[in-house]
Amino acid sequence: MARYIFITGGVVSSLGKGLASAALGALLQARGYTVRLRKLDPYLNVDPGTMSPFEHGEVFVTDDGAETDLDLGHYERFTGVSARRSDTISAGRIYSNVLEKERRGEYLGKTIQVIPHVTNEIKDFLAIGEDEVDFMLCEIGGTVGDIEGLPFFEAIRQFGQERPRGKVILMHLTLLPWLAASGELKTKPTQHSVKELRSIGLQPDVLVCRSEQLIPDRERAKIALFCNVRPDSVIPAYDLKSIYEAPLAYHRAGLDRAVLDAFQISPAPRPDLSRWEDVMDRLTHAEGEVRIAVVGKYTELEDAYKSVSEALTHGGMANRVRVRPEWIAAEDLEQDGGTHLLDGYHGIIVPGGFGERGTEGMIVAAQYAREKRVPYLGICLGMQTAVIEAARNLAGITDAGSQEFDRDLGPGRCTPVVYHLKEWVQGNRKVERKPDDAKGGTMRLGAYTAVLKPGSLISRVYDGATEIEDRHRHRYEVDVTYREQLEAAGLVFSGMSPDNRLPEVVEIEGHPWFIGVQAHPELKSKPFAPAPLFADFIRAAKEQERMV
């Protein structure tokens, strides 16, 4: 049976619970343990799939097709453990499950209540796969005291009581604000946060205290005294230059030691931190810099492209070069003379998105990269806009466009070289969709295989592989009907679905480095195992930098 670590937050949101959870998972792995990380979100959405990127940041997709919180991306990047559908749950999903059971009569006519029915559903979720790993790390979204989070806190209280003694601990993250006027750190918000926890029956075993200033031993002792934790279990957490410094920083602060002590594991295996020492060496000893233009729809919020941003950093590590991504709003390229915004970059990325807004600017970016011979990586919508650009300017289909744009602003405005996908094969079954289906969970989601053309650039990127597998999240596809016409014009369809019906990869013939992929390779990239496509894209950008 796994040992459980519940991670909660107090005082304010966005303290970095996801990063702390991921770093702790990496440290436990470094000591030889197996881990799995989970996220429990109190919002009433069934999942983040229908949320605006401006509202919630990116949607992270798992191999088995779950649309999840971006914290699961942190978990994967730090531990290398592929997340599953069973690693994320929301209050919306919990309540939906309970109501479906009630409609089916599974509660035998009883009155349905938060306790025990909702809390039991949460506990059943927590217990999934508990015999598979040594440690299960479960992060509770939001902060203690949030009304929507109360069923989750009650569920983990019950869960801890029902497990054998010493199998469950609680780690709580708080903020120590610095008052410049008085020149002191204030511990009172942390005390009140822990008091709130204790009022609902939860006592933290480990406190992680975020602070911009050094936390004196006197203040740590005060926190330990008033919050009823051991002094060596009050862990300072300071701002870092890179998130990938977190495992080493938390180890120096004693987080993994405090957690193992709370479980009374002594002596504990010594940690092997060489993986993270190598990661930091590559980050801090970069040789040169490349500038990458990221032309997107949601550039006002960098978290909307979190995995792209991190995959670029990983690609830089693979090439020992510092990557400086600069965010360009696609709509700005639609203005007269807007292409000057792309001058001076060593590579251009157009990431995914939904809807027509900004797509003409994405098409401009693809044309600029093609004509100026600048390395180009188009992801999902970025591939589709590259195909539209090639159709218009190389294949003579001057009104080429996408059914997605017609759906937004009326039919019949273009020749759709990108169409709404109505059916496809997933494993050994056929999936069917209609344009008016409900939005949530109806896209082509999860890992799919692409068969690569021998000798193509994409095949060389993957060391001559004939098949690759990456995660998808889209409902529109490039129409294979136009393949012959486009290939004659120089756009090569170098990756196809196994049934040869769905284009997965395109590239421009004769271009130094121009690839569009329907999948999202950034989702599987890790600092110690960069996505090959991003590593080679940065290699090409590095060569471009030397030529400029």
Side-chain angles (χ1 to χ4, degrees), residues 331-539:
E331 289 170 289
D332 291 347
L333 297 180
E334 297 173 2
Q335 312 302 318
D336 289 340
T339 55
H340 80 276
L341 295 172
L342 297 173
D343 292 342
Y345 289 101
H346 309 123
I348 297 171
I349 286 186
V350 177
F354 295 90
E356 183 175 37
R357 181 182 62 83
T359 52
E360 288 299 322
M362 294 178 171
I363 292 168
V364 167
Q367 182 177 3
Y368 181 98
R370 177 177 61 81
E371 293 178 346
K372 301 288 188 180
R373 299 176 66 79
V374 176
Y376 176 90
L377 175 57
I379 298 170
C380 198
L381 183 59
M383 167 181 158
Q384 295 173 5
T385 50
V387 170
I388 293 170
E389 189 279 322
R392 290 179 184 178
N393 299 316
L394 294 178
I397 310 172
T398 55
D399 64 342
S402 168
Q403 279 186 352
E404 181 174 14
F405 313 156
D406 277 359
R407 183 173 173 81
D408 283 353
L409 297 178
R413 296 183 303 114
C414 69
T415 298
V417 296
V418 177
Y419 71 103
H420 184 277
L421 184 62
K422 297 178 179 63
E423 63 178 49
W424 66 91
V425 175
Q426 184 174 22
N428 57 3
R429 67 186 182 94
K430 185 170 76 171
V431 181
E432 296 183 357
R433 291 285 183 262
K434 297 177 182 178
D436 57 354
D437 280 347
K439 296 293 184 187
T442 59
M443 288 181 279
R444 188 175 174 219
L445 292 165
Y448 287 86
T449 298
V451 179
L452 307 184
K453 181 178 180 180
S456 62
L457 174 58
I458 187 70
S459 179
R460 295 199 298 274
V461 166
Y462 285 89
D463 295 325
T466 56
E467 288 188 0
I468 58 173
E469 185 179 85
D470 269 312
R471 299 170 186 173
H472 291 61
R473 183 176 182 252
H474 58 96
R475 57 171 52 92
Y476 291 86
E477 292 275 359
V478 172
D479 193 341
V480 74
T481 304
Y482 296 92
R483 177 178 181 174
E484 186 175 337
Q485 188 174 354
L486 287 165
E487 289 198 321
L491 183 74
V492 179
F493 286 54
S494 54
M496 298 291 295
S497 61
D499 61 6
N500 211 37
R501 294 176 59 191
L502 304 176
E504 294 280 3
V505 188
V506 297
E507 51 192 71
I508 295 290
E509 198 170 39
H511 193 283
W513 209 101
F514 191 111
I515 291 178
V517 290
Q518 187 60 72
H520 290 268
E522 72 274 15
L523 297 178
K524 295 175 75 170
S525 187
K526 302 168 184 66
F528 43 82
L533 206 54
F534 278 83
D536 205 64
F537 171 71
I538 297 301
R539 178 200 58 76

Side-chain angles (χ1 to χ4, degrees), residues 124-342:
D124 289 345
F125 164 76
L126 292 172
I128 296 172
E130 66 179 347
D131 57 347
E132 297 177 359
V133 293
D134 299 318
F135 288 93
M136 195 80 78
L137 287 74
C138 303
E139 176 193 349
I140 316 297
T143 57
V144 60
D146 294 345
I147 190 168
E148 63 266 31
L150 288 175
F152 289 91
F153 288 108
E154 172 60 19
I156 66 174
R157 185 196 67 78
Q158 294 178 19
F159 193 87
Q161 289 292 319
E162 293 165 4
R163 287 296 184 276
R165 190 179 300 275
K167 287 291 186 178
V168 176
I169 69 166
L170 178 66
M171 183 173 97
H172 190 56
L173 272 77
T174 69
L175 175 70
L176 297 185
W178 168 259
L179 295 187
S182 60
E184 59 181 342
L185 285 170
K186 304 305 290 185
T187 65
K188 191 63 72 175
T190 292
Q191 294 177 45
H192 278 293
S193 181
V194 173
K195 181 181 178 182
E196 182 78 23
L197 263 181
R198 296 173 72 182
S199 73
I200 56 177
L202 294 169
Q203 166 64 46
D205 299 280
V206 178
L207 277 177
V208 177
C209 300
R210 285 294 306 272
S211 174
E212 296 178 353
Q213 304 289 331
L214 187 70
I215 305 174
D217 289 342
R218 178 170 57 93
E219 301 302 322
R220 290 180 66 182
K222 181 179 179 181
I223 293 168
L225 177 64
F226 283 99
C227 296
N228 196 33
V229 298
R230 294 164 60 94
D232 55 4
S233 292
V234 178
I235 307 299
Y238 305 117
D239 292 345
L240 304 172
K241 292 182 179 179
S242 167
I243 63 172
Y244 299 115
E245 190 182 349
L248 296 176
Y250 274 123
H251 176 68
R252 289 193 296 268
L255 176 60
D256 48 332
R257 180 67 270 169
V259 165
L260 294 173
D261 282 348
F263 282 114
Q264 298 184 340
I265 298 175
S266 181
R270 292 179 61 84
D272 177 5
L273 297 170
S274 56
R275 166 185 280 183
W276 294 103
E277 289 165 353
D278 178 64
V279 164
M280 287 309 300
D281 179 65
R282 289 175 177 275
L283 269 178
T284 54
H285 296 93
E287 301 165 1
E289 179 179 87
V290 294
R291 297 176 63 218
I292 304 297
V294 184
V295 180
K297 294 165 63 75
Y298 319 113
T299 51
E300 294 94 329
L301 181 66
E302 188 175 333
D303 271 359
Y305 299 115
K306 188 63 177 175
S307 290
V308 170
S309 176
E310 297 307 322
L312 284 170
T313 299
H314 307 162
M317 292 180 190
N319 291 278
R320 283 199 176 272
V321 65
R322 185 175 298 103
V323 178
R324 181 148 62 99
E326 298 182 19
W327 308 90
I328 299 175
E331 289 170 289
D332 291 347
L333 297 180
E334 297 173 2
Q335 312 302 318
D336 289 340
T339 55
H340 80 276
L341 295 172
L342 297 173

Side-chain angles (χ1 to χ4, degrees), residues 22 58 60-61 68-79 83 244 306-307 471 523 525-526:
E58 83 167 1
F60 189 81
V61 180
T68 77
D69 186 87
L70 60 80
D71 276 330
L72 271 75
H74 283 314
Y75 302 163
E76 283 203 15
R77 284 188 283 272
F78 277 76
T79 66
Y244 299 115
K306 188 63 177 175
S307 290
R471 299 170 186 173
L523 297 178
S525 187
K526 302 168 184 66

